[in-house]
Amino acid sequence: MTYCVAISVDAGMVFCSDSLTNAGVDQVSTYRKMFRFGIDGEKQFVILTSGNLATCQATIAKIKNDISQNIRPNLLTVLNLEEAADYVGDISREQQQKRMVDGKNFEASFIVGGQVRDGRHEITMIYPEGNYITTSEDTNYLQIGESKYGKPILDRILSPSLDLDTCAMCALVSMDSTMRSNLSVGPPVELLILKHGDLTPKDHIRFDEDSNFLRELKKEWDEHLKDAFRQMPPLSWAANWDKSNHEQSGTS
Amino acid sequence: MTYCVAISVDAGMVFCSDSLTNAGVDQVSTYRKMFRFGIDGEKQFVILTSGNLATCQATIAKIKNDISQNIRPNLLTVLNLEEAADYVGDISREQQQKRMVDGKNFEASFIVGGQVRDGRHEITMIYPEGNYITTSEDTNYLQIGESKYGKPILDRILSPSLDLDTCAMCALVSMDSTMRSNLSVGPPVELLILKHGDLTPKDHIRFDEDSNFLRELKKEWDEHLKDAFRQMPPLSWAANWDKSNHEQSGTS
């Protein structure tokens, strides 16, 4: 499986992805799920992939090929993020349909985020059908893959005014929770930070399986979370709040 | 949907359930999903339900009916938890099959936990097919329904030597995270604590929608979690740990 999350706040965007893929538990391999395309100083796009690996790879290969062959449109000729999302959605559908036999499912989902010149930065999530949704003032993040384990921390921490380093830490903690609770999501973990207006990105980090940082982050978060939990008021406290709801006996 | 979790540690067991059911977003209603059966001082069983509401209700109705009509076996005549799980699994399958038309799915899952006399206390999770798995020394908890949002906190906190109040708080925090991230899980929240050897349970609490306790717990956990998050070392720290993995430029 996969877990990818992309966060959009006022200050810019953060992308985070794992790198495990599996077809059954005995066929596990490592593939990058984060791809950056751009013209420095002009436009930048980041694509995250989830779903059928062949469809993901075929889609990314076609995007690269269109750029290198200068076929139009390609990801570097689009004028805004909507066009980019439409373009990627079309390719994804095309690749799925090419291989469709007897209703077999080769579905894939994508996150595409980016900025063109002085336009807004934005993130879209492209469904297997090729249509897509975007982030908004109220929805700061989009996820693909195993999204549920890592959702609570995003829901609690993220807000539009948050700085990008805090958003990145939130994405990494969300990834850590997912890796801990689901064996099929795992390192290397990639992290890419795209400041609003900075169209020459430098902050693309890859944390390998033996990354001290990932190990320390896991340890630190574990300790802090346990501390937080220890500080919760004792349960006996409950009786004082909701006395009338106590049921004392009887088969219920 | 539903979220139920049951925890078994050395000191005893904790059960926690929500009470929302829905068939589409415009047909939401409130039903208890926690049922206790027992003979005080002799045996106690707690059943949590998830899945098709008609199957859940028919199963619980049959269990109650078998007891009141003194049909054998019934849940109060079984000699141990395995027999109880088999009995509930059989009824569940029977109820599903009775209504099966054209492969329509009326599946339900159950958690059954309890203790008979001076035997071990134990928890089982019964699949729609009627077979079941139990907790063990390494697996302290079982869940049914929307289990993923609330799993990370259980994975981090629970251990066999934990006291029951802490386990109960962990179950409530797990429930809180699930309710926050999934609209279809909601109060009233029921909590039942069964100490090992105490076969006359008293600690069955129901927190209603307007429960001050649930509101305070949500607020406290939110604050403590945010504090924990604020205490995480800054991300710039990452560069020192995994310097060699930095990628500085280039389309990747």
Side-chain angles (χ1 to χ4, degrees):
Chain A
M1 278 294 291
T2 289
Y3 178 48
C4 298
V5 55
I7 298 169
S8 174
V9 292
D10 298 342
M13 298 175 287
V14 169
F15 301 85
C16 188
S17 62
D18 86 311
S19 303
L20 274 196
T21 70
N22 69 305
V25 287
D26 57 351
Q27 200 177 340
V28 177
S29 38
T30 301
Y31 286 100
R32 307 182 70 156
K33 298 168 191 174
M34 181 184 291
F35 303 89
R36 181 168 72 80
F37 299 90
I39 301 171
D40 281 359
E42 197 178 306
K43 55 183 80 173
Q44 291 293 329
F45 297 105
V46 178
I47 302 183
L48 309 177
T49 66
S50 168
N52 180 272
L53 183 60
T55 301
C56 291
Q57 290 189 348
T59 303
I60 295 296
K62 174 91 170 86
I63 293 170
K64 286 182 175 169
N65 188 60
D66 283 359
I67 292 172
S68 66
Q69 307 271 315
N70 208 13
I71 292 165
R72 285 171 175 256
N74 69 53
L75 193 57
L76 299 185
T77 66
V78 300
L79 298 176
N80 51 50
L81 199 76
E82 287 65 40
E83 279 188 31
D86 263 334
Y87 168 76
V88 175
D90 285 347
I91 295 179
S92 163
R93 264 187 71 83
E94 196 181 293
Q95 298 304 324
Q96 289 174 59
Q97 278 167 351
K98 234 163 99 175
R99 306 298 175 198
M100 204 175 281
V101 196
D102 298 336
K104 266 197 189 171
N105 177 346
F106 300 115
E107 290 189 345
S109 303
F110 298 86
I111 283 175
V112 180
Q115 186 181 353
V116 177
R117 295 202 178 83
D118 53 358
R120 280 192 308 146
H121 62 267
E122 210 173 359
I123 293 168
T124 62
M125 195 271 276
I126 303 171
Y127 293 104
E129 293 77 8
N131 54 349
Y132 60 88
I133 57 171
T134 71
T135 47
S136 75
E137 187 68 15
D138 299 313
T139 304
N140 298 122
Y141 66 89
L142 293 167
Q143 303 167 294
I144 49 177
E146 274 291 350
S147 60
K148 294 185 181 183
Y149 305 104
K151 190 171 186 293
I153 189 73
L154 301 169
D155 285 337
R156 286 185 205 266
I157 301 292
L158 295 180
S159 72
S161 59
L162 221 58
D163 67 279
L164 289 175
D165 272 10
T166 309
C167 291
M169 183 55 79
C170 190
L172 288 169
V173 167
S174 174
M175 178 63 74
D176 179 61
S177 295
T178 308
M179 292 195 296
R180 191 175 173 131
S181 287
N182 190 310
L183 269 187
S184 72
V185 175
V189 171
E190 290 191 78
L191 179 73
L192 197 153
I193 302 177
L194 218 56
K195 279 194 206 72
H196 176 80
D198 179 8
L199 298 173
T200 315
K202 293 172 290 297
D203 296 325
H204 185 175
I205 313 175
R206 186 167 190 246
F207 303 106
D208 281 322
E209 188 147 12
D210 60 352
S211 158
N212 290 319
F213 175 74
L214 282 191
R215 192 161 44 244
E216 282 299 309
L217 179 134
K218 183 186 163 94
K219 212 182 94 199
E220 289 267 343
W221 180 241
D222 225 65
E223 280 168 15
H224 289 142
L225 200 79
K226 281 178 181 157
D227 277 348
F229 192 79
R230 273 191 286 268
Q231 283 162 36
M232 288 294 279
L235 193 71
S236 54
W237 187 59
N240 300 325
W241 281 108
D242 297 305
K243 253 188 177 140
S244 58
N245 293 317
H246 259 273
E247 290 181 25
Q248 293 287 340
S249 61
T251 289
S252 52
Chain B
M1 278 294 289
T2 290
Y3 178 49
C4 298
V5 55
I7 299 168
S8 174
V9 292
D10 298 344
M13 297 175 288
V14 169
F15 301 86
C16 188
S17 61
D18 87 311
S19 303
L20 275 197
T21 69
N22 69 304
V25 287
D26 57 352
Q27 202 177 339
V28 177
S29 39
T30 301
Y31 286 100
R32 305 182 73 154
K33 299 168 191 174
M34 181 184 290
F35 303 87
R36 182 168 71 82
F37 300 88
I39 300 170
D40 281 359
E42 196 177 307
K43 54 183 82 172
Q44 291 294 328
F45 297 105
V46 178
I47 303 184
L48 308 178
T49 67
S50 169
N52 181 271
L53 183 60
T55 301
C56 291
Q57 290 189 348
T59 303
I60 296 296
K62 174 90 168 87
I63 293 169
K64 285 180 176 172
N65 188 60
D66 282 1
I67 292 173
S68 66
Q69 306 271 315
N70 208 12
I71 293 166
R72 283 168 180 259
N74 69 53
L75 193 57
L76 299 184
T77 66
V78 300
L79 298 176
N80 52 49
L81 199 76
E82 287 65 41
E83 279 188 31
D86 263 334
Y87 168 76
V88 175
D90 285 348
I91 295 180
S92 164
R93 264 186 71 82
E94 195 180 294
Q95 297 304 323
Q96 289 174 58
Q97 278 166 351
K98 232 163 102 175
R99 306 300 175 195
M100 206 176 280
V101 196
D102 298 335
K104 265 197 188 169
N105 175 347
F106 300 115
E107 290 189 346
S109 303
F110 298 85
I111 283 175
V112 179
Q115 186 181 351
V116 177
R117 293 198 183 84
D118 54 358
R120 279 193 308 146
H121 62 268
E122 208 172 0
I123 293 169
T124 62
M125 196 271 277
I126 303 172
Y127 293 104
E129 292 77 7
N131 54 348
Y132 60 90
I133 57 173
T134 72
T135 46
S136 75
E137 187 69 16
D138 298 314
T139 304
N140 298 123
Y141 67 89
L142 292 167
Q143 303 166 293
I144 50 177
E146 274 291 349
S147 60
K148 293 185 182 183
Y149 305 103
K151 188 172 187 294
I153 189 74
L154 301 168
D155 286 336
R156 287 186 204 266
I157 301 292
L158 296 179
S159 71
S161 60
L162 220 58
D163 66 278
L164 288 175
D165 273 9
T166 308
C167 291
M169 183 55 79
C170 190
L172 288 170
V173 166
S174 173
M175 178 63 74
D176 179 60
S177 295
T178 308
M179 292 195 294
R180 192 176 173 129
S181 288
N182 189 309
L183 270 186
S184 72
V185 176
V189 170
E190 291 191 77
L191 179 73
L192 197 152
I193 301 177
L194 219 56
K195 279 194 206 70
H196 177 81
D198 179 8
L199 298 173
T200 314
K202 291 170 293 295
D203 297 325
H204 183 175
I205 313 176
R206 187 171 190 241
F207 303 106
D208 282 322
E209 187 147 13
D210 59 352
S211 158
N212 290 318
F213 175 74
L214 282 192
R215 194 162 42 244
E216 282 298 311
L217 179 133
K218 182 187 164 92
K219 211 182 94 200
E220 289 266 345
W221 180 241
D222 225 64
E223 280 167 16
H224 289 142
L225 200 78
K226 281 177 182 158
D227 277 348
F229 193 79
R230 273 190 286 268
Q231 284 162 36
M232 288 295 279
L235 193 71
S236 53
W237 186 60
N240 301 325
W241 281 107
D242 296 306
K243 255 193 179 135
S244 58
N245 292 317
H246 259 275
E247 290 181 25
Q248 294 286 341
S249 62
T251 288
S252 51

